[in-house]
């Protein structure tokens, strides 16, 4: 298995608030990995540290064997890591297609960008139907699809998703998770997904980590985590 991400004994803080206290995790090519845990456990901080928005005070972050823990966020995107932040954040004044093209703004391979646009439309047909509409007019679920589509337009090899289900109707959430699973399979894309709804994330993940106050409390296969009493009690019931 080719290792895409190695996150080793990472510490990070916001001023005096210690958010990560020695977190270690790994993601391999083509794998969906779930990052679970209660509010404030450090899930978003883990993603922010990977994408360079939060500087670790200690520890190692490697992407495809290269250190990135001192690399600027823009460079990390260019290297092949895209993040869909919590709360999606599309450009509401711009159209769907403009948002998608922005995802590819650092790319020079115009023809491949066009193909990738078509590919995003295949995964999310509703975005093709609404390509000329302002993003602000889309429903919450469609905006989440747009945010994921925009991240895919950068042609990442590691996709970071922060709570894609937040505030969406359950039926839409299931659809989005099915598509995320499909994208990973078809593209061999590594995905690290943060999710409050553990059963959803574990439904498409091969393994998962449970964070508790900035440390990894549990790491196991998705099947074992689904069966684990403590995970069931805390996140599945
Ligand atoms: N911008 C910030 N400034 C100060 N503290 C923060 C900030 N963001 C997060 N924290 C703190 O860091 C810890 C981890 O937060 P976070 O990574 O957002 O957790 P999660 O995503 O698991 O809910 C929490 O104690 C939280 O209050
Ligand atoms: Mg969070």
């Amino acid at each position: 298995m080719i290792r895409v991400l190695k996150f080793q004994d990472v510490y990070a803080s916001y001023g005096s608030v210690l958010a990560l206290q020695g977190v270690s995790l790994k993601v391999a090519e083509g794998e969906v990995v779930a990052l679970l845990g209660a509010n404030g456990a450090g899930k978003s901080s883990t993603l922010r540290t990977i994408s360079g928005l939060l500087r670790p005070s200690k520890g190692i972050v490697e992407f495809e064997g290269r250190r990135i823990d001192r690399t600027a966020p823009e460079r990390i995107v260019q290297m092949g890591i895209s993040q869909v932040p919590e709360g999606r954040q599309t450009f509401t004044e711009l159209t769907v297609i403009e948002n998608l093209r922005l995802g590819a703004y650092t790319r020079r391979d115009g023809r491949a960008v066009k193909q990738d646009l078509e590919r995003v439309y295949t995964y999310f047909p509703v975005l093709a139907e609404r390509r000329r509409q302002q993003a602000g007019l889309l429903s919450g679920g469609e905006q989440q699809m747009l945010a994921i589509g925009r991240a895919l337009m950068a042609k990442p090899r590691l996709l970071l998703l922060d709570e894609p289900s937040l505030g969406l109707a359950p039926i839409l959430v299931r659809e989005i998770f099915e598509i995320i699973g499909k994208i990973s399979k078809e593209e061999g894309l590594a995905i690290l997904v943060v999710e409050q709804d553990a059963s959803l994330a574990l439904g498409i993940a091969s393994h998962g980590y449970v964070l508790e106050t900035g440390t990894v409390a549990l790491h196991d296969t998705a099947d074992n985590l689904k069966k684990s009493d403590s995970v069931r009690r805390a996140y599945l019931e």
Side-chain angles (χ1 to χ4, degrees):
M1 251 200 200
I2 300 171
R3 190 194 295 140
V4 173
L5 177 78
K6 182 167 107 176
F7 201 75
Q8 190 182 299
D9 203 22
V10 173
Y11 288 74
S13 38
Y14 302 92
S16 61
V17 180
L18 200 50
L20 305 182
Q21 314 185 39
V23 173
S24 299
L25 54 87
K26 285 176 186 170
V27 182
E29 191 177 70
E31 192 171 68
V32 178
V33 176
L35 190 55
L36 310 172
N39 240 330
K43 304 180 299 295
S44 296
S45 300
T46 300
L47 297 194
R48 292 168 57 80
T49 305
I50 297 166
S51 54
L53 299 171
L54 182 61
R55 270 278 153 92
S57 52
K58 217 182 120 196
I60 292 172
V61 185
E62 272 180 20
F63 175 60
E64 297 177 337
R66 291 154 79 186
R67 290 281 293 259
I68 57 165
D69 41 82
R70 290 290 175 271
T71 306
E74 305 77 31
R75 176 76 194 119
I76 290 177
V77 174
Q78 284 175 352
M79 287 174 80
I81 300 180
S82 286
Q83 178 171 3
V84 180
E86 210 172 325
R88 20 215 191 257
Q89 300 171 15
T90 57
F91 296 97
T92 51
E93 307 285 305
L94 300 183
T95 64
V96 166
I97 193 165
E98 286 166 343
N99 268 276
L100 291 172
R101 287 195 178 283
L102 270 179
Y105 81 101
T106 59
R107 296 174 57 186
R108 301 263 173 273
D109 46 346
R111 196 178 294 167
V113 168
K114 254 199 189 133
Q115 282 170 1
D116 286 339
L117 192 61
E118 292 309 316
R119 214 164 40 107
V120 166
Y121 288 153
T122 316
Y123 287 123
F124 302 108
V126 68
L127 296 182
E129 285 163 32
R130 299 183 187 263
R131 46 153 74 77
R132 307 276 170 219
Q133 282 187 19
Q134 272 193 337
L137 299 174
L138 301 181
S139 72
E142 289 162 353
Q143 288 196 28
Q144 183 60 260
M145 292 176 189
L146 179 56
I148 296 171
R150 192 179 62 198
L152 290 174
M153 289 302 293
K155 215 170 179 49
R157 294 184 301 286
L158 173 63
L159 181 65
L160 309 173
L161 299 173
D162 200 346
E163 302 208 29
S165 75
L166 205 69
L168 302 183
I171 185 158
L172 258 173
V173 168
R174 269 195 299 277
E175 186 187 338
I176 289 175
F177 268 77
E178 261 168 41
I179 298 169
I180 293 170
K182 191 170 156 198
I183 292 170
S184 166
K185 269 208 194 81
E186 290 180 5
E187 320 264 329
L189 178 63
I191 300 179
L192 181 59
V193 57
V194 164
E195 188 48 62
Q196 290 268 4
D197 186 333
S199 65
L200 263 177
L202 293 174
I204 60 166
S206 52
H207 62 115
Y209 296 82
V210 178
L211 288 187
E212 263 170 33
T213 53
T215 59
V216 175
L218 262 176
H219 172 222
D220 212 331
T221 63
D223 285 339
N224 284 342
L225 288 175
K226 277 186 254 180
K227 284 183 262 173
S228 141
D229 280 343
S230 56
V231 172
R232 296 189 71 88
R233 238 176 293 125
Y235 311 109
L236 292 174
E237 273 151 18

